[in-house]
Amino acid sequence: MKIFLVRGPVIMIVYGECYILGVKIKNQKIIWNNFKTLPVEKRDSTRIHLIGNKYQLKGPFGKNESSNLGMSIWKEISDDILNRRHKTIVVVGPTDSGKSTFSLYLANKFIDSGQRPLLLDADVGQGDLAPPTCIGSAVLKNQCIDSSKIKADHISFIGSLQPSNSENRIIQSVSKLINKTRSYDRCIVNTDGYVNGKGLIYKLKLLHKVQPDCIVSLGKPNIHANLSRYKRAPDGWKFEIRYGGTPNSVIRRSWLDRYQKRMNTLARFLNQNNTQLVKMHLKDVRSIYYQGRFHRINYSSNYYRDISRISLISLKLLANNKMQNVFAGLGSVRERDIVKGFGIVKNFENDILTILTTCNKFDSIYLSEWKINFAI
């Protein structure tokens, strides 16, 4: 097998047979909209044709170079996890260390062995299973090379594009998403790249909450050392640590790449084809979530007091147009933390909210800290 690197976004036509992230591809057209580099392992007889920019294809690479380019760098780790029957695996590491790629590769290995993995994407800013400011999970039935094509089973609203200052909210949401899902064989939790300073403390708290039986640590050795010390904590929780490197095919993305990726993810969940303007009076709102707090409203006990209470919350947010163009999640008060649709707050006047949204039935509003200053 020879290894080629394909830089997205690009359209790739495969004539023959190749392997991408552990998935066998044969005579297919692949639309790769991601801003990542895709390692393609192909036979000599296989041809690859790119539509758009032929310079997005690099290779073939020699034997010494290819050992750190394809999935071979993670084969030993993935095989070991597969054979040891670990139930819950958490993948940690710094930004651009290959966490998302490894998580999907491992999920494909599980599927190839006849198992149904639960893939949980806990990256609020650069995740694929949920829009920005949210995290999502899905039980996978079929192999996949692009996690942005996976439809989430459940989405939990966090409200921030960065994990800092939202650590506890993310930890609780990850735990709830795992517990909410029953029909799966293995669970893979892909985390964000916030691992320095307070980020390391946050990761240790997340691990303690989830209590995986396997931790995969990719990237920098200082993270490995901290995890090794943490393993000696005598609290009855037993787990194994697998240390892995970062393939050379993982390219550090620019700020522009990350911004474009975030916008592309948003467009999958919120666009002109699936939105409508919905007007809703505040008296019909049962719950408002903002900056980590739920404001529960019960109009049946004291209508005027609660109208005053919710109005004060909203008026505070509306100072200096704080609520206008804010990205929001929409759901039901009966299923706290789980959102069913999304929207953008367009206007607030006379206690009536106007929201550009994907759903028309909701009584809970989750307000993020992200303002979208462009037209959908």
Side-chain angles (χ1 to χ4, degrees):
M1 288 281 191
K2 293 184 178 179
I3 296 180
F4 289 76
L5 299 181
V6 178
R7 171 75 166 167
V10 71
I11 297 175
M12 178 171 60
I13 301 177
V14 177
Y15 300 97
E17 185 179 295
C18 69
Y19 286 85
I20 301 175
L21 302 185
V23 181
K24 182 179 179 180
I25 306 295
K26 187 174 182 179
N27 298 324
Q28 293 183 32
K29 180 172 74 171
I30 298 171
I31 301 175
W32 180 248
N33 289 323
N34 213 312
F35 283 81
K36 294 181 179 180
T37 298
L38 200 61
V40 179
E41 300 169 279
K42 78 176 193 69
R43 304 182 186 279
D44 290 336
S45 58
T46 300
R47 293 188 299 113
I48 295 177
H49 175 66
L50 300 186
I51 299 176
N53 186 354
K54 65 179 181 180
Y55 298 106
Q56 298 289 77
L57 179 68
K58 294 183 179 181
F61 293 90
K63 186 175 181 180
N64 293 333
E65 295 174 295
S66 62
S67 62
N68 196 35
L69 285 174
M71 296 299 98
S72 58
I73 189 174
W74 292 326
K75 187 179 187 304
E76 183 178 346
I77 298 175
S78 60
D79 286 346
D80 183 68
I81 293 173
L82 191 65
N83 294 331
R84 288 180 179 268
R85 306 294 300 178
H86 294 299
K87 180 70 174 181
T88 303
I89 304 99
V90 175
V91 184
V92 298
T95 301
D96 294 327
S97 59
K99 298 184 298 298
S100 298
T101 302
F102 174 81
S103 297
L104 190 55
Y105 171 64
L106 185 61
N108 285 331
K109 295 270 285 188
F110 288 155
I111 295 170
D112 190 50
S113 67
Q115 301 178 60
R116 287 160 52 94
L118 168 64
L119 181 62
L120 197 158
D121 194 337
D123 191 339
V124 292
Q126 292 289 306
D128 284 318
L129 300 189
T133 74
C134 304
I135 64 175
S137 64
V139 176
L140 307 187
K141 300 177 182 178
N142 301 308
Q143 290 183 317
C144 177
I145 65 170
D146 187 353
S147 53
S148 67
K149 302 291 178 63
I150 299 171
K151 183 179 180 181
D153 297 324
H154 303 292
I155 293 176
S156 184
F157 195 90
I158 305 301
S160 172
L161 291 172
Q162 304 295 334
S164 56
N165 300 321
S166 298
E167 296 93 337
N168 290 335
R169 172 82 175 152
I170 296 173
I171 291 171
Q172 295 302 321
S173 295
V174 168
S175 178
K176 287 181 180 180
L177 287 175
I178 294 174
N179 294 332
K180 192 175 182 67
T181 309
R182 300 298 180 189
S183 57
Y184 66 93
D185 301 303
R186 308 282 195 104
C187 173
I188 305 167
V189 180
N190 176 31
T191 63
D192 55 69
Y194 180 38
V195 294
N196 294 323
K198 293 182 179 179
L200 179 60
I201 298 173
Y202 150 57
K203 285 298 183 298
L204 295 179
K205 288 182 178 179
L206 173 64
L207 292 170
H208 197 272
K209 179 68 175 179
V210 175
Q211 296 207 350
D213 38 25
C214 180
I215 301 170
V216 177
S217 178
L218 303 179
K220 296 181 180 179
N222 65 318
I223 301 172
H224 302 342
N226 279 284
L227 286 173
S228 297
R229 288 195 293 270
Y230 190 65
K231 186 177 181 180
R232 293 193 288 269
D235 61 356
W237 164 33
K238 296 181 179 180
F239 61 91
E240 297 181 355
I241 304 176
R242 294 291 177 264
Y243 304 108
T246 299
N248 291 339
S249 55
V250 176
I251 298 176
R252 190 168 184 84
R253 289 169 292 167
S254 67
W255 176 88
L256 184 60
D257 287 341
R258 292 180 174 280
Y259 173 80
Q260 187 61 58
K261 195 266 182 188
R262 187 176 293 157
M263 294 301 102
N264 288 347
T265 304
L266 174 66
R268 287 173 31 222
F269 293 89
L270 203 63
N271 55 65
Q272 291 180 343
N273 296 325
N274 67 355
T275 55
Q276 58 184 318
L277 281 175
V278 173
K279 295 181 182 292
M280 187 175 193
H281 197 282
L282 285 180
K283 67 180 179 63
D284 297 319
V285 177
R286 298 291 302 280
S287 174
I288 290 182
Y289 170 87
Y290 183 65
Q291 291 187 336
R293 292 186 60 191
F294 282 93
H295 304 274
R296 182 75 178 266
I297 310 302
N298 184 2
Y299 286 94
S300 60
S301 60
N302 193 325
Y303 177 86
Y304 292 103
R305 183 194 66 193
D306 289 330
I307 279 286
S308 175
R309 180 183 172 193
I310 196 170
S311 295
L312 285 174
I313 295 169
S314 302
L315 288 172
K316 183 178 178 181
L317 296 176
L318 286 168
N320 301 319
N321 295 321
K322 285 186 178 180
M323 194 185 289
Q324 191 172 16
N325 291 327
V326 164
F327 177 70
L330 306 167
S332 170
V333 73
R334 294 181 180 179
E335 291 188 279
R336 187 162 169 169
D337 289 332
I338 302 299
V339 293
K340 302 297 184 182
F342 305 95
I344 300 174
V345 178
K346 304 303 295 183
N347 190 31
F348 177 80
E349 189 175 2
N350 298 324
D351 284 347
I352 295 177
L353 277 168
T354 302
I355 304 178
L356 182 67
T357 176
T358 58
C359 64
N360 54 16
K361 291 184 179 181
F362 56 90
D363 58 15
S364 291
I365 301 175
Y366 298 76
L367 296 173
S368 75
E369 300 171 26
W370 184 30
K371 295 191 72 170
I372 300 175
N373 296 315
F374 56 88
I376 293 294

